[in-house]
DNA sequence: GTCTATAGAAGGATAGAC
DNA sequence: GTCTATCCTTCTATAGAC
């Protein structure tokens, strides 16, 4: 594969990502992608065979990117509280630069959950819990965080960071009416979410 | 309009709702809707003129239904804590019976925010805050809930109830791997979310 | 590898009979 | 009000020249 092939293939891929993120699988048109890449429509098929394959390539890339942002939380050597702060800073920071990602993923996964199966099946949840427990057994005991509560807790944490972006359309409409700004709201949220979760954790077992 | 007209129009509307919720605006096909209603495709145009008008009718109905579920919270004569519990019970309970609603709305609004404008412009946020404040001034002061914090707080509350449904595709894949059940998780969530939020509120101002 | 041209299918919409 | 037939456009995909 020559250098120029690679360039074209990359330009197609980037354009597809752009268009699919904007319009979704059903709303995207091969012609739009070709125009965006400045090439002919048939080249899309030459490189990716079909719309579905092109979409799959894009979907996998996007899903990998997003999930990769969750991983460091379990590695980094920090206290539980610092990890939570770290997560909200990093994750919300990442979404600030990739705002359409949450809505895209949630929608496409609901539309076709099978696409996710490969990603999920690679995760060893047993190991995740073990890591968490060995690293923070003191904190977990102190705050009475049991294994049974973890799904509720994780869902809450993820939702606090992801939901505002998934609901950006709604929030921007509302904020406009209140003379507020979505970007400011998001910037604030890094600290608010961390404070909120940590406070709840520390006091919930009482 | 005769009784049978009404019946047909309703059957079309219900079928459209079903199909649009399942496939979204872009993914839905007029033929699917006609099949689902057991009528001919051209009848759709006879009653609703175009796909876009049919979709708009459905969208408005759905948005009205969902937002209507937020309203009682501000009316009911309860303590702040009871209101929060009441909200999670009612709202999650409603979504249990209408699981595809959140994903549908979030997606379609992101795709075309203008559709929401009519709904939002009717809300008087000044009045909402005034109502809240007159009803709960003691609690608000005690917990140091200021007007500035309200958007973060409300977004958090809504996200805790809505996000699991919007992310149902992901959660079901994950839960399957953990021998968990989405329905049980949701049932648990009514209490978990209320406890979590109330605990955070009561202790955050320290 | 990239283009033009076009096939082939599907979708939204309408005309017109009953 | 409901159906059949059909128009017209759009979209994915491929054939074939260069």
């Amino acid at each position: 594969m020559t250098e120029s092939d690679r360039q074209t293939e990359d330009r197609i891929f980037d354009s597809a990502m752009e268009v699919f993120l904007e319009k979704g699988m059903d709303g995207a048109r091969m012609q739009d992608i070709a125009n965006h890449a400045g090439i002919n429509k048939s080249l899309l098929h030459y490189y990716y065979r079909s719309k579905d394959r092109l979409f799959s390539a894009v979907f996998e890339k996007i899903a990998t990117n997003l999930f990769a942002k969750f991983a460091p939380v379990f590695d980094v050597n920090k206290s539980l509280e610092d990890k939570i702060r770290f997560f909200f800073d990093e994750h919300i920071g990442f979404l600030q630069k990739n705002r359409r990602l949450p809505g895209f993923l949630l929608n496409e996964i609901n539309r076709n959950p099978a696409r996710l199966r490969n990603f999920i099946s690679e995760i060893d949840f047993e190991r995740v819990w073990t890591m968490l427990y060995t690293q923070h057994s003191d904190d977990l005991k102190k705050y009475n965080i049991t294994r049974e509560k973890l799904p509720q807790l994780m869902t809450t944490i993820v939702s606090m960071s992801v939901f505002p972006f998934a609901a950006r359309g709604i929030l921007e409409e509302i904020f406009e009416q209140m003379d507020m700004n979505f970007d400011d709201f998001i910037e604030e949220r890094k600290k608010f979410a961390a404070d909120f979760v940590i406070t709840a954790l520390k006091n919930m077992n009482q």
Side-chain angles (χ1 to χ4, degrees), chain A:
Chain A
M1 194 173 275
T2 75
E3 181 58 25
S4 120
D5 292 356
R6 179 91 236 126
Q7 275 181 20
T8 303
E9 193 166 346
D10 284 354
R11 235 185 24 257
I12 290 176
F13 186 86
D14 293 344
S15 301
M17 188 138 140
E18 195 79 23
V19 174
F20 279 133
L21 272 171
E22 185 70 31
K23 311 263 187 153
M25 166 64 173
D26 290 334
R29 295 294 163 246
M30 296 294 266
Q31 187 64 61
D32 293 346
I33 297 173
N35 291 345
H36 194 283
I39 51 131
N40 194 277
K41 213 173 35 158
S42 20
L43 266 193
L44 300 181
H45 292 93
Y46 176 79
Y47 281 104
Y48 288 94
R49 194 78 191 160
S50 73
K51 183 185 181 184
D52 195 72
R53 279 168 187 270
L54 179 52
F55 179 81
S56 292
V58 169
F59 178 88
E60 295 218 357
K61 173 78 166 180
I62 290 178
T64 305
N65 277 353
L66 184 58
F67 287 123
K69 278 287 160 185
F70 289 94
V73 175
F74 297 102
D75 299 330
V76 164
N77 184 24
K78 294 180 187 298
S79 72
L80 187 62
E81 181 171 335
D82 284 350
K83 271 192 185 174
I84 292 173
R85 296 197 183 282
F86 175 77
F87 171 78
F88 281 116
D89 276 348
E90 287 292 304
H91 205 252
I92 293 179
F94 174 70
L95 295 181
Q96 279 177 314
K97 290 176 230 135
N98 301 273
R99 346 188 109 190
R100 289 167 311 181
L101 232 128
F104 171 84
L105 272 183
L106 292 178
N107 185 43
E108 299 299 342
I109 291 169
N110 279 341
R111 207 123 274 152
N112 185 0
R115 283 195 204 279
L116 202 68
R117 219 151 278 163
N118 304 327
F119 291 89
I120 302 292
S121 60
E122 275 178 25
I123 304 172
D124 183 347
F125 291 99
E126 192 62 39
R127 199 170 148 273
V128 169
W129 170 248
T130 308
M131 277 175 70
L132 214 61
Y133 194 80
T134 50
Q135 288 174 339
H136 306 289
S137 59
D138 289 352
D139 280 340
L140 296 186
K141 276 176 199 154
K142 190 165 61 177
Y143 303 148
N144 195 26
I145 301 173
T146 63
R147 191 175 171 160
E148 287 70 39
K149 285 186 196 162
L150 207 60
Q152 293 287 354
L153 193 53
M154 300 266 274
T155 304
T156 299
I157 289 173
V158 172
S159 88
M160 287 191 74
S161 118
V162 169
F163 180 79
F165 292 95
R168 194 174 100 238
I170 303 178
L171 290 181
E172 282 182 338
E173 289 293 322
I174 292 177
F175 289 170
E176 192 175 340
Q177 197 121 147
M178 301 171 72
D179 285 316
M180 280 179 55
N181 179 277
F182 183 75
D183 293 326
D184 295 343
F185 174 85
I186 290 297
E187 197 52 46
E188 267 180 37
R189 193 154 186 84
K190 295 174 184 171
K191 178 165 162 42
F192 177 88
D195 289 345
F196 195 87
V197 169
I198 290 167
T199 306
L201 277 184
K202 285 190 174 169
N203 298 280
M204 245 181 123
N205 55 336
Q206 291 161 2

